[in-house]
Structures are given as C-alpha cells and as structure tokens.
Amino acid sequence: MTDTTSFNQPLGGNEMPRFGGLASMMRLPVASSAAGLNAGFIGVPLDIGTSHRPGARFGPRQIRAESCLIRPYNMATGAAPFDALQVADLGDVPINTYNLLKSVDIIEQHYKPVIEAGCIPLTLGGDHTIALPILRAMKAQHGPVALIHVDAHADVNPDMFGERIAHGTPFRRAVEEGLLIGDKVWQIGLRGSGYSAEDFDWPRQQGFTIVPAHEIWWQSLAPLMADIRAKIGPDTPTYLSFDIDGIDPAYAGGTGTPEIGGLNVPQALEIVRGCRGLNLVGCDLVEVSPAYDTSGNTALLGANLLFEMLCVLPGVAYR
C-alpha cells in the first residue's frame, strides 16, 4: 500500500463535520503559495465579462461548499490522486470587481508563479473571460497549448458590444496571440442559435475540430476522446476548459447563458476521464452561477468535474 502520510489529505467527514470549519475545496488545507504543490485549486470570482445573466462570481464559493460531499478515492476509475500528488486550495484571485481589463492582467500575473512552481492549476470560475489570461500565463511557461474546450458556445466572437475582451471572445484572442496549437483544438458540445454561420466556421478555418452537440446525442464519447488522445499525443501541453453550459440545462441550469440540447452528465464524465494520458497542464470549470439553481446541483456537478480533472492529471496513482 502507498504511504500517503506526506501528502495532504481531504479531511474526512468522520474527523470533521461536513459543514464545519473552513469551506475549502474538498476540505483540503489552504495554502498561500504554490511552492511544493503538484496541483492547486484556484477560484476566480469574476463575472464582469458576462453578457447575459451575472452571478458567476459566486461560483467558486458554491463549488467549494458542494465539494464537501466528495471523497478522496474515485470508485469508478481507481484514481487515488491524494496518494501521489500534493494538492491544496490556493484561495481566490483578488480581481478588480470594477475593471475587466485590470482583472485580466491580475489573473495572468497571479497564475504565472503558480505555473512556474510546477503546480497545475485547477480553476473554479468565474465567467469564461478568465481562460484568456490563464492561457497567456500558460504560454509563458509551456508555449502554445492544445485545447479541449467543452461549451455550448465557441467563444470566438471578434468583439462583444465593441469590447475585444469578454466571455464570448477568449479563444479568438487566444488564436490572435498564438496561445493555441490550431490543429490540436477540439470544441465539444456547441449548439444553439447564432448570428451567422461564422460562429462555428471561423474556428474550423483556424484548424479547430468542431463537435456540435446534435452530432453526439445518445452517443458514448469514449471513441471521440480516444481519437483526441491519439491526435494530441502524450507529450503536448494540453489545457482543458469546461464551461458548465456545455451540459444541458436539465442537469446544469445554474449558468448565465443556458442552451437546450446539450451534453448529459455521463458524457461530461467521459470527456474528462478521456483526458487520462494527456499532458494536462491546467484545467478550468467556468460559468457556474449559483443563483439560477437553488438546489445547488449545478455547483455540485462542477465540483465533481473538478475532482475528475484532478484524477486525470499526470502522476496520479491508481489502485
């Protein structure tokens, strides 16, 4: 049996009341520095890039609260991340609530030392604007990255209301800034109405592979993920960006821009679990807006997907 005494362990429900104490992610220790960590959960409570329903700034808090139910061992996959990785909750980025552009810079500068320390960030959003500064920080360490992007929307608008940076533009800016490897980008779950065919045609022109939701209804996504792993390869730095609105609002209604006809929860799990074997250098789970789902189920799903992301990081132990 693996000796786990040197690794942080989520405090169990028998040792601490589930709703007692500090509401950290999975009841992990809270760290002020990424030094010595293999992975860290980071909250980015920002929603001033949102175009429709606000509230994603409260996503990190609610995701952490719902994570109290999650235990440290993945029964389905055998992953025991806390046997081999040093993990902690790194708290929230101190964004500027009144200035989106300043916040984008704050996020980038916050992530750079985390990544330089060799800590893989697992981000609790926040709206999808935050992907741009994180990818900028990723490039400084890893160069351009492959991307697996789960979303109802391509987020490649040239601008929104005349603004070049918002939650619908991060991947257009990422292409322009050379942050992505164009032929190693997959966008999964796209759907809904749009303004023109360019909404989905532009990313195809950049080399992206588009997987619309209606093409994968009722299908297992394990074959898709096997194909993605083969095409990305085991060494390419890869980023996973998961917008909760990629999931159908029947399962995840607590989000700002819901679209019907989306992925179901087992498909979401297949996507994340299908990333095992990739060189994941970072992941995010964005656009949880708790006020629109008073049951807490959307945040609960978000918390579990973040745990699943942790379970497929390089170096995770399996038993």
Side-chain angles (χ1 to χ4, degrees):
M1 178 176 288
T2 304
D3 179 12
T4 62
T5 56
S6 62
F7 297 107
N8 293 336
Q9 299 293 314
L11 195 58
N14 292 333
E15 299 162 332
M16 175 183 115
R18 292 195 187 277
F19 299 102
L22 184 67
S24 64
M25 185 67 182
M26 291 187 65
R27 306 176 309 282
L28 282 162
V30 176
S32 59
S33 166
L37 298 180
N38 301 112
F41 292 101
I42 303 176
V44 187
L46 179 140
D47 64 4
I48 51 177
T50 303
S51 60
H52 186 40
R53 305 192 304 194
R57 70 181 64 186
F58 300 111
R61 180 179 299 180
Q62 189 66 22
I63 290 169
R64 286 185 172 104
E66 297 298 339
S67 77
C68 69
L69 186 63
I70 303 174
R71 302 166 187 88
Y73 177 66
N74 192 318
M75 298 292 291
T77 67
F82 302 102
D83 283 7
L85 302 183
Q86 187 71 300
V87 188
D89 189 324
L90 285 167
D92 286 352
V93 178
I95 59 98
N96 183 326
T97 312
Y98 302 106
N99 192 308
L100 181 58
L101 296 183
K102 285 185 178 179
S103 290
V104 166
D105 183 61
I106 290 168
I107 295 165
E108 179 183 355
Q109 299 310 316
H110 189 95
Y111 272 72
K112 280 184 175 179
V114 173
I115 298 167
E116 290 169 359
C119 176
I120 299 173
L122 300 167
T123 301
L124 294 65
D127 75 54
H128 222 153
T129 311
I130 69 176
L132 177 61
I134 295 172
L135 288 171
R136 287 173 173 171
M138 288 289 167
K139 184 182 180 183
Q141 182 71 19
H142 301 291
V145 298
L147 175 70
I148 299 170
H149 171 209
V150 183
D151 206 321
H153 314 96
D155 291 351
V156 295
N157 295 326
D159 59 68
M160 298 186 75
F161 302 100
E163 300 296 330
R164 290 177 57 78
I165 293 181
H167 77 156
T169 70
F171 301 112
R172 172 84 67 143
R173 301 288 89 82
V175 168
E176 294 169 349
E177 297 178 19
L179 310 182
L180 302 176
I181 304 170
D183 63 352
K184 292 189 176 183
V185 176
W186 278 261
Q187 295 188 301
I188 305 170
L190 305 189
R191 61 190 189 276
S193 53
Y195 295 102
S196 73
E198 190 192 34
D199 289 359
F200 295 169
D201 286 347
W202 188 87
R204 291 189 179 102
Q205 293 164 7
Q206 315 312 309
F208 294 12
T209 300
I210 303 300
V211 185
H214 67 267
E215 293 184 1
I216 51 176
W217 286 342
W218 320 118
Q219 296 179 27
S220 167
L221 300 190
L224 170 65
M225 295 309 300
D227 183 56
I228 290 174
R229 288 195 305 274
K231 291 179 177 175
I232 291 179
D235 300 320
T236 305
T238 303
Y239 190 81
L240 172 61
S241 189
F242 203 119
D243 188 325
I244 201 70
D245 74 26
I247 310 303
D248 191 89
Y251 310 102
T255 190
T257 49
E259 303 280 3
I260 65 164
L263 307 179
N264 60 37
V265 173
Q267 287 177 314
L269 292 172
E270 286 181 317
I271 291 170
V272 179
R273 292 174 182 176
C275 291
R276 180 182 176 186
L278 292 172
N279 180 22
L280 285 176
V281 294
C283 308
D284 67 49
L285 189 289
V286 300
E287 298 284 0
V288 170
S289 192
Y292 305 107
D293 182 1
T294 55
S295 71
N297 284 345
T298 304
L300 176 64
L301 174 58
N304 277 274
L305 290 175
L306 282 157
F307 171 63
E308 294 283 345
M309 292 172 190
L310 174 65
C311 287
V312 296
L313 295 186
V316 166
Y318 286 80
R319 55 179 166 85

